[in-house]
Amino acid sequence: MFAAVPILVWLIAAIIFRRLLCTRKRDGGGRLDDWIGALLLASVAWGAYLTLISEALSLAGALRFGPVLASWMAPIPVLIWLQRRRRGGMASLELPSLTPIQIGLVAIVALFVAATGIVAAVSAPNTWDSMTYHLPRVMHWAQNGSLAHYPTHEPRQLYMSPWAELAATHFQILSGGDRFANLIQWFAMAGGLLAVGRIAGNLGAGTSGRLLAALTAVTLPVSLLQAVSTQTDHVAGFFVLCTVAFLPRGPAPATGLRPWGIAGKTKHLWGAAGATALAVLAKATAYFFLAPFLAVFAWRQLRGARLAALRPLLVLGSTVLILNLGHYARNFELFDSPLQPRGLGPYHQYANETFGPGVTVSGFARGAALHLPGAHETVRALHGALGLDPEDPRTTWPDARFEPAPARVHEDFSGNPPHGLLILGCLLALSCSRALRAREPGLALHALLTVVAVLLFVSVLKWTPWSARLHLPIFLLFAPVVGTLLERLPRLVWLVLTAVLVAWAVPFVASNPLHPVRGPDNVFSVPRARQAFLARPLLGEFYRGVEERIAAAGCSRVGLAAPPDSWEYPLWNHLRRAVPSAMRVESLAAGNASAKLADPAFGPCAVVCVNCIPPWQEQYRTRFGEPVLAGADDLAGRYEHLLFVEPSGPADGKIPASSD
């Protein structure tokens, strides 16, 4: 019930922004645009407020239920007062008149949104990255009442962009569980569809073009898979889209190219500034996706050659700095860098180690191959012709191989083949037709800037086999281009293409192996505690045994010894069920810069040793005696899991942190 309070704040804010954006247009389309703009602006304002109260409460060590609830209750009277000050009654929603085909497009988009929303609400988080660092950081923040860095075996819990997890933390604290964890990505997906339609309208699309753009976005396989997970690419993509949708016009360029966005509205500038800040706070890849759009905006402003032209740039820069300052400062204090950590080894080195045209060509070709089945041999031949290595360790993730991946439904590896071909066709049309570019200058500019964003991404970041999911914001940025150009084609052509996209997309909702909706392990019949271990049943069996033995021992101080990339989050759920009121969990095997943050006063009465290497086994046998529980791992080549418990019950003594 308390988790509904932040949602109520968002709804009231949307109503107020609707009043502020109210136009004098009497047609329904204008009023619908006002509502869409209000929802997007309210989302950005809501995200900024969440960030600010999180940082403020963290400084006071008060990121806990009472202060969090009070922080969300506080703005409600103010918002209601602001709403009442506006003249007139409740703003109505007037929909534009739609043709039967347009109604069909709306229905298709709504069905995909509803289906993924139901799955996201019912299913438990079980994505690998969510088990290892997305959600464990939520539990540590809630336990500590602070966003301050803490000792951990998995440094990504500390230095990765935190906004999506900040939102999850608030809902975790207010609801007492993870029911809302998947819904953050789902809300971002739904909001992103509104932003895609708005951008398409800014680029000259009519009603059908906007709907086709939204349908292009919603049928992306990686979009449907991530909408029911706790990854963060949809969240980053949503704020990227909001930035592009709201970015104001600068002085008109000499080329005559029509800029995107809405002119002359300060509220849109603040919306773009807030969205930019939240995009990079949600995922660092947003720096690359937004850089071309922000660079052109800055160029237009500076061409004005007036002091006033600098104000929007100052608003953007200061907003990004204010909302990201806490995260930058914590990282700099521990890692001597606000973003890219130093000295953590190759598995935390995301940037290429060499640069140049060949690196860009290689990164682009290998990235495209993830979305084009059968392209791997062609890409290998291209590398051979250019004297490049498709598995160059300087531009490739450690241990990754560039080889054809089996076709499968998975949020980390599924590509977007039909959408990739559509985007390629649109780019070819714009490149080859001067008349089309002359008729659609804003569209051509948007497509060009998105291509530049792609080139920046592949030039700087190493290729990985799971890069397909990182490409989601790129495909979302291309969706308005696809929708606008499809609208220009004969109706029969775009109807056929739409049918292909829909048919391709359905299995990615119906056959998601991590969130199945049919079969014996479907999310509607399997308990949430078991859903988390669909991919790792042996680990689930061990954690259930840990819960039983910790509850029997009455131990409320548990140490965790685990290597990096271990499934920590499910253990939290089991331990909190074992001792609901006072459980404390701390990492004993940091093995990185965070080890110096360990609390010397923490004395565990039990240690869960995951993939327990021989030195750890010896250390904890010396301290606790023989393990009371052992479990095998689901993955080959790993050590067994062990549970050590103080023989005489909870102990006040201390044990040293594990060494690597």
Side-chain angles (χ1 to χ4, degrees):
M1 181 177 97
F2 296 111
V5 176
I7 300 173
L8 177 62
V9 171
W10 174 74
L11 288 172
I12 299 175
I15 294 171
I16 293 174
F17 279 117
R18 166 62 181 85
R19 294 288 188 85
L20 294 174
L21 293 175
C22 185
T23 66
R24 295 183 178 275
K25 298 179 182 179
R26 302 307 302 170
D27 61 290
R31 292 188 179 275
L32 179 60
D33 281 344
D34 289 339
W35 270 110
I36 292 174
L39 291 171
L40 298 180
L41 281 173
S43 299
V44 173
W46 186 92
Y49 180 73
L50 181 145
T51 304
L52 293 174
I53 62 174
S54 298
E55 293 290 352
L57 293 175
S58 174
L59 290 174
L63 195 61
R64 305 187 188 281
F65 178 82
V68 168
L69 180 60
S71 298
W72 284 110
M73 294 290 291
I76 293 179
V78 177
L79 292 173
I80 293 175
W81 176 74
L82 289 174
Q83 161 64 14
R84 291 182 176 275
R85 285 193 67 224
R86 305 294 298 179
R87 295 180 180 180
M90 177 70 177
S92 59
L93 174 61
E94 298 180 12
L95 296 173
S97 58
L98 300 176
T99 67
I101 291 179
Q102 291 171 344
I103 293 174
L105 294 176
V106 172
I108 292 171
V109 172
L111 282 173
F112 278 113
V113 172
T116 52
I118 292 171
V119 175
V122 172
S123 57
N126 58 7
T127 302
W128 187 285
D129 287 351
S130 301
M131 301 293 99
T132 59
Y133 69 93
H134 285 308
L135 294 180
R137 72 198 308 196
V138 169
M139 304 306 289
H140 282 284
W141 291 340
Q143 170 184 269
N144 301 337
S146 170
L147 304 178
H149 287 344
Y150 51 86
T152 176
H153 57 277
E154 180 48 81
R156 289 178 297 176
Q157 295 179 17
L158 307 179
Y159 67 76
M160 285 290 195
S161 300
W163 190 87
E165 292 89 341
L166 290 180
T169 301
H170 282 246
F171 285 109
Q172 176 80 28
I173 290 172
L174 293 175
S175 68
D178 57 15
R179 279 285 181 183
F180 289 84
N182 292 332
L183 289 173
I184 295 170
Q185 278 268 98
W186 178 81
F187 272 110
M189 183 268 283
L193 300 180
L194 298 179
V196 162
R198 186 181 182 90
I199 294 171
N202 293 343
L203 299 178
T207 301
S208 293
R210 296 184 186 199
L211 293 174
L212 288 169
L215 186 139
T216 300
V218 80
T219 54
L220 287 164
V222 70
S223 172
L224 295 169
L225 293 168
Q226 284 211 39
V228 299
S229 79
T230 48
Q231 294 280 19
T232 59
D233 300 280
H234 254 312
V235 176
F238 169 67
F239 289 125
V240 166
L241 292 169
C242 286
T243 299
V244 176
F246 287 136
L247 208 56
R249 298 176 182 180
T255 58
L257 291 180
R258 180 179 58 182
W260 65 99
I262 309 296
K265 292 187 176 181
T266 303
K267 60 186 73 69
H268 291 105
L269 171 62
W270 284 106
T276 301
L278 295 174
V280 298
L281 190 60
K283 201 173 187 75
T285 52
Y287 288 103
F288 306 104
F289 302 143
L290 286 176
F293 294 92
L294 295 175
V296 171
F297 170 66
W299 172 68
R300 285 172 165 161
Q301 291 299 130
L302 295 174
R303 286 193 67 201
R306 294 174 301 175
L307 183 61
L310 297 177
R311 291 175 185 170
L313 302 181
L314 293 175
V315 168
L316 274 166
S318 60
T319 303
V320 170
L321 181 60
I322 289 171
L323 292 183
N324 285 268
L325 186 59
H327 179 58
Y328 291 161
R330 287 187 292 272
N331 277 350
F332 191 83
E333 181 180 8
L334 184 61
F335 299 114
D336 296 324
S337 172
L339 292 174
Q340 178 68 50
R342 301 172 182 176
L344 292 179
Y347 290 96
H348 299 274
Q349 180 65 44
Y350 303 95
N352 287 324
E353 299 167 41
T354 183
F355 302 94
V359 172
T360 301
V361 171
S362 174
F364 181 86
R366 289 184 292 168
L370 296 174
H371 303 281
L372 299 174
H376 280 73
E377 292 305 317
T378 302
V379 172
R380 278 193 172 276
L382 173 65
H383 279 75
L386 297 176
L388 301 173
D389 179 4
E391 295 171 356
D392 187 337
R394 299 172 300 172
T395 62
T396 305
W397 191 254
D399 304 325
R401 300 293 304 273
F402 180 71
E403 54 190 12
R408 55 175 167 167
V409 177
H410 195 285
E411 63 186 40
D412 286 340
F413 304 105
S414 293
N416 309 303
H419 301 77
L421 292 174
L422 270 178
I423 291 169
L424 179 61
C426 291
L427 293 178
L428 288 174
L430 287 168
S431 301
C432 298
S433 175
R434 180 179 298 179
L436 179 60
R437 296 196 301 274
R439 290 197 310 270
E440 307 284 353
L443 188 69
L445 177 60
H446 180 94
L448 175 62
L449 295 179
T450 306
V451 169
V452 173
V454 173
L455 296 178
L456 280 174
F457 180 89
V458 301
S459 297
V460 177
L461 297 182
K462 290 184 176 181
W463 179 88
T464 75
W466 55 86
S467 290
R469 70 173 177 83
L470 304 180
H471 298 162
L472 175 58
I474 294 172
F475 280 85
L476 294 175
L477 284 171
F478 272 123
V481 177
V482 174
T484 303
L485 290 182
L486 283 181
E487 186 183 33
R488 308 295 192 256
L489 297 176
R491 180 181 300 175
L492 180 60
V493 174
W494 61 254
L495 281 175
V496 171
L497 293 175
T498 297
V500 171
L501 294 182
V502 172
W504 187 274
V506 169
F508 295 90
V509 177
S511 304
N512 186 342
L514 295 179
H515 305 281
V517 297
R518 55 186 179 178
D521 292 328
N522 72 81
V523 296
F524 304 105
S525 60
V526 175
R528 289 173 63 85
R530 278 187 53 206
Q531 290 180 34
F533 298 102
L534 288 179
R536 302 190 69 182
L538 293 180
L539 181 63
E541 182 180 342
F542 173 71
Y543 279 175
R544 286 190 290 272
V546 168
E547 177 184 342
E548 295 173 0
R549 284 159 178 80
I550 293 293
C555 174
S556 60
R557 300 185 309 280
V558 177
L560 172 62
D565 210 30
S566 295
W567 278 37
E568 177 182 345
Y569 175 67
L571 178 63
W572 279 88
N573 287 332
H574 285 284
L575 292 177
R576 289 166 72 90
R577 282 195 293 267
V579 183
S581 58
M583 176 56 66
R584 182 181 177 190
V585 182
E586 297 288 349
S587 176
L588 303 177
N592 54 68
S594 71
K596 64 184 180 183
L597 303 176
D599 180 3
F602 178 69
C605 48
V607 172
V608 180
C609 191
V610 178
N611 301 132
C612 204
I613 60 176
W616 295 351
Q617 295 182 28
E618 180 180 354
Q619 178 180 357
Y620 297 126
R621 279 191 170 95
T622 301
R623 174 64 178 84
F624 292 100
E626 290 301 311
V628 299
L629 180 67
D633 194 81
D634 302 89
L635 306 177
R638 296 204 176 192
Y639 292 96
E640 63 181 348
H641 313 305
L642 301 174
L643 171 64
F644 298 88
V645 177
E646 180 71 35
S648 58
D652 295 326
K654 305 167 189 172
I655 64 173
S658 299
S659 61
D660 289 337

